[in-house]
Amino acid sequence: MSEVYILIGGNLSDRERALTFAISEISKNIGKITLTSSIFESEPWGFSSPDLFLNQVVKVQTILTPKATLKKLQEIERLYGRARHSGNYESRTIDLDILFFDDLMIHERDLHIPHPRLHMRKFTLSPLVEIAGDYVHPFIRKSMNDLAAECTDRSQVRLFKKDMAKSNVHNEL
């Protein structure tokens, strides 16, 4: 059984509904969600938009491979109406990113694990620190707490909705 951390985000339409949908689909199609962060609201990163993002991180136990997990995440994005228009950053209804998959380091054309920019983004680090502050990045070799303390991202990230349960139990695959 592998452990994967997934970032869920979006800034278009009903943002909370997108997170709820993603969590439901992840638990049905990828594996058991063992931890869910609070929801954080943040400014767009890497582009301008008046629409703020909601972001949340989930920890999942899965029997799937990294490639199979990526494929399932892309299917969930498509189910929710995500259309990719370019390789550039843009507003989106839903975005699902693999942050970590066990301690694997994978660098392929369509799959990079750990996520190559997670340590530069407060919107990723804030929910990650909440549920995995002591987790050590397998390449950078620093904890999420340390990476957050060193992060130079000055964008605004605020707590949007606190998760009171911290160890939610969802459907197993």
Side-chain angles (χ1 to χ4, degrees), residues 32-83:
K32 180 181 178 184
I33 296 176
T34 59
L35 287 173
T36 305
S37 78
S38 296
I39 299 171
F40 291 81
E41 187 173 55
S42 64
E43 301 169 330
W45 190 92
F47 72 102
S48 294
S49 172
D51 302 308
L52 298 178
F53 277 81
L54 289 186
N55 291 288
Q56 187 172 31
V57 171
V58 294
K59 181 181 179 183
V60 183
Q61 290 180 337
T62 186
I63 59 172
L64 299 178
T65 65
K67 283 265 196 189
T69 301
L70 175 63
K71 184 177 180 194
K72 292 286 188 187
L73 291 174
Q74 290 170 338
E75 288 172 9
I76 293 167
E77 289 177 337
R78 279 192 296 279
L79 273 174
Y80 200 74
R82 166 101 190 250

Side-chain angles (χ1 to χ4, degrees), residues 62-107:
T62 186
I63 59 172
L64 299 178
T65 65
K67 283 265 196 189
T69 301
L70 175 63
K71 184 177 180 194
K72 292 286 188 187
L73 291 174
Q74 290 170 338
E75 288 172 9
I76 293 167
E77 289 177 337
R78 279 192 296 279
L79 273 174
Y80 200 74
R82 166 101 190 250
R84 295 177 187 266
H85 299 105
S86 69
N88 299 325
Y89 296 120
E90 59 190 0
S91 291
R92 61 209 72 152
T93 55
I94 193 168
D95 188 32
L96 303 172
D97 291 329
I98 299 172
L99 301 176
F100 297 108
F101 200 107
D102 291 332
D103 287 334
L104 296 177
M105 291 188 281
I106 300 172
H107 299 287

